[in-house]
Amino acid sequence: MTVMERARGIIRDAGHVVVLTGAGVSAESGVPTFRGTGGLWKEHRAEDLATPEAFVRDPRLVWEWYGWRRRVVSQCVPNAAHVALASAARVHDDFRIVTQNVDGLHSVAAADSPRAAPLELHGCLFRLRCTRCGKRRDDRGVIDATSRATLPACAACEGLERPDIVWFGEALEPAVIGEAVALASAADVCLVVGTSAVVHPAAGLADLTRRRGGHVIEVNITDTPLSGTAAVTLRGPAAVLVPELLSPDFPE
Ligand code: BJW
Ligand code: ZN
């Protein structure tokens, strides 16, 4: 039996499946990953810009970076992995997608199917939040980061807006991480796709499934801290392996 056949058998026999995705699932859509090559922007590391301290120190610089990323991501479309996952979630009640990604590509692939809508742990590039009153809004417009005065401002209170994204050291939305923990704790399978599995609490979700006797299946081009405890590791690009793993049991 090949590893792919073993993984397909585990998924076929599962009642509840939770999928945890990271930047690697969007790599073949052209979205840069965080770590590894391409993780730098104008000499800055993502880890130094994605913090509340960086935003207080220099909101213009942080917005310039996010403006660039929004432009890059808005040119990208879901790849075959996003499509296969959304198709599976559309036809199965107990197949839920939890993502660390802020690119919104799982939502695009889900189209208007609430069942296939992902749980976005770290927020969304195309949603803003007021730093003064907390009001949120969706926005896909161009960010003008030429000066502090041109940065996005709240229509209700004129406060400075920020990306509605969970930065390092910030707590995830309690309802969102709570739902993810409940899903992982009840899952027979946690399918982990394209994450380096180093950022917590997301990286701990697969362990919740494993500890209840469920299986972890990992899809990644390289080893991660989860590889050793996974029941099956599938090595290769997500856009190839995920559709192979899920069809024909979850037809598109
Ligand atoms: C492919 C592929 C292909 C490539 N096919 N695969 C416990 C232990 C240690 C530390 C902590 C801990 N608990 C909390 C912490 C601190 C911190 C943390 O985890 N730090 C670690 C780095 C050490 N966590 C936090 O700060 C979190 N907050 C928190 O815990 O708050 C507690 C609190 C409670 C109460 C009050 C206050 C606080 C928040 C974490 C938020 C993370 N946000 C980011 C930045 C968002 C900014 C933005 O996007 O603009 O989210 S970090 C960044 O990493 C981003 C990602 O979602 C996240 C995960 O990255 P991901 O997706 O894994 O990407 P990569 O690039 O790392 O990996 C890509 C993978 O794909 C690789 O494996 C490739 O091989 C693979 N790949 N091509 C398949 N084609
Ligand atoms: Zn406001």
Side-chain angles (χ1 to χ4, degrees):
M1 191 191 282
T2 65
V3 280
M4 179 56 83
E5 284 163 353
R6 179 157 151 64
R8 285 165 63 100
I10 291 173
I11 295 212
R12 205 170 34 238
D13 294 343
H16 301 268
V17 177
V18 65
V19 185
L20 173 68
T21 69
V25 79
S26 298
E28 286 143 297
S29 293
V31 181
T33 57
F34 283 89
R35 296 164 187 85
T37 53
L40 278 181
W41 173 78
K42 292 189 181 177
E43 324 259 298
H44 299 280
R45 294 183 321 145
E47 291 90 327
D48 298 332
L49 292 167
T51 69
E53 294 78 18
F55 192 70
V56 167
R57 194 168 51 240
D58 193 346
R60 200 209 58 75
L61 176 70
V62 173
W63 261 125
E64 190 185 357
W65 180 54
Y66 278 101
W68 169 74
R69 286 181 56 205
R70 283 160 56 108
R71 282 198 303 280
V72 170
V73 170
S74 49
Q75 305 299 313
C76 299
V77 293
N79 64 49
H82 299 104
V83 171
L85 290 168
S87 302
R90 232 179 252 125
V91 294
H92 286 269
D93 254 347
D94 290 322
F95 190 106
R96 290 294 309 277
I97 302 163
V98 176
T99 187
Q100 299 167 84
N101 298 346
V102 296
D103 57 31
L105 291 180
H106 284 299
S107 299
V108 175
D112 46 13
S113 165
R115 270 190 183 180
L119 202 52
E120 293 177 322
L121 294 176
H122 295 161
C124 179
L125 270 179
F126 301 103
R127 202 169 54 234
L128 313 189
R129 188 171 87 234
C130 176
T131 55
R132 192 181 291 160
C133 74
K135 194 174 184 325
R136 291 183 160 97
R137 68 180 173 104
D138 293 331
D139 173 78
R140 286 195 164 257
V142 173
I143 300 296
D144 182 352
T146 45
S147 75
R148 170 74 175 72
T150 63
L151 297 180
C154 175
C157 78
E158 295 181 3
L160 175 65
E161 288 177 308
R162 56 167 278 179
D164 192 18
I165 283 180
V166 183
W167 286 327
F168 279 111
E170 294 186 315
L172 279 70
E173 280 292 321
V176 174
I177 186 64
E179 189 174 353
V181 165
L183 287 168
S185 306
D188 303 309
V189 173
C190 182
L191 171 60
V192 183
V193 184
T195 174
S196 56
V198 295
V199 174
H200 289 265
L205 292 172
D207 259 352
L208 299 177
T209 304
R210 201 174 49 79
R211 285 211 297 265
R212 78 174 288 270
H215 295 288
V216 175
I217 298 175
E218 181 181 61
V219 176
N220 200 305
I221 54 173
T222 187
D223 271 359
T224 77
L226 290 181
S227 307
T229 56
V232 184
T233 52
L234 299 170
R235 284 284 159 270
V240 174
L241 294 181
V242 172
E244 200 178 330
L245 178 64
L246 297 179
S247 71
D249 300 306
F250 298 98
E252 283 172 25

